[in-house]
Amino acid sequence: CGIVCTNMGVKAGKRIGVKGEIAAGAKSFVLNLGKDQANVVLHFNPRFDAHGDVRTIVCNSMDKGEWGAEQRESAFPFQEGTNVEMFITHDPSNLTIALPNNHQFKFPNRLGLQVIDFLNAEGDFTIKSIQLE
Ligand SMILES: C=CCO[C@@H]1O[C@H](CO)[C@@H](O[C@@H]2O[C@H](CO)[C@H](O)[C@H](OCc3cn(Cc4cccc(/C=C\CN=C(N)N)c4)nn3)[C@H]2O)[C@H](O)[C@H]1NC(C)=O
């Protein structure tokens, strides 16, 4: 499995920057952000070709180990085999995810999480840097 960060202490309004490499031939990768691995306020899952989704960002949440309802985004500003930088901020109602090419979308803060302590990455993505600002 990929990198795991805990105790990040990112409060509402602060920004998390994630830079990393998408593998050549990538099928799918995941960034999870939340309290811990069973309480995920944002499961961010760009799918190049996985679970029947092609070039689609699937987002969800997990509350005490239970998945919520999926949300699919229209934009897919990712290329296999490239470096990418993404920024996530949160407030009591929403998370805002800023992607390459000035794509941005919101995902509801279903857990009402105030502090993001946990981040992990899975799949075809190698984190190179994490900025907490
Ligand atoms: C239509 C049929 C029934 O409906 C489908 O039912 C699936 C199972 O429930 C959902 O799928 C699930 O969706 C969840 C979000 O809701 C999570 O994403 C979950 O994955 C959890 C997970 C797996 N992982 C490890 C990981 C992640 C990415 C890549 C790799 C490894 C390598 C891949 N690279 C290769 N091989 N080169 C490994 N981390 N988190 C995913 O299984 C589909 O969305 C859903 N589709 C729709 C349209 O409804």
Side-chain angles (χ1 to χ4, degrees):
C1 72
I3 196 167
V4 179
C5 299
T6 57
N7 301 18
M8 293 199 298
V10 179
K11 294 187 171 64
K14 297 291 180 194
R15 201 169 71 150
I16 301 169
V18 179
K19 250 189 247 179
E21 279 173 20
I22 301 171
K27 294 280 179 264
S28 170
F29 73 87
V30 165
L31 288 182
N32 289 309
L33 292 153
K35 180 168 173 287
D36 53 39
Q37 72 184 57
N39 296 282
V40 174
V41 71
L42 175 67
H43 170 84
F44 175 76
N45 179 204
R47 297 178 181 176
F48 293 84
D49 183 2
H51 301 289
D53 289 295
V54 175
R55 298 183 67 76
T56 305
I57 296 173
V58 176
C59 291
N60 205 340
S61 55
M62 181 181 276
D63 196 350
K64 299 183 189 69
E66 300 293 318
W67 285 115
E70 294 187 343
Q71 183 174 295
R72 279 169 171 71
E73 303 306 324
S74 53
F76 193 82
F78 298 112
Q79 283 295 331
E80 301 92 319
T82 64
N83 287 300
V84 68
E85 184 166 28
M86 299 166 273
F87 296 96
I88 302 101
T89 56
H90 73 288
D91 66 34
S93 307
N94 290 294
L95 292 106
T96 303
I97 299 94
L99 298 176
N101 310 340
N102 287 325
H103 288 286
Q104 182 167 311
F105 69 93
K106 292 188 184 305
F107 186 80
N109 183 346
R110 294 170 175 164
L111 282 65
L113 199 63
Q114 312 266 339
V115 178
I116 291 177
D117 275 317
F118 173 83
L119 177 151
N120 88 316
E122 298 278 5
D124 304 315
F125 184 70
T126 306
I127 291 186
K128 292 296 178 198
S129 91
I130 296 169
Q131 281 171 287
L132 307 183
E133 53 194 11

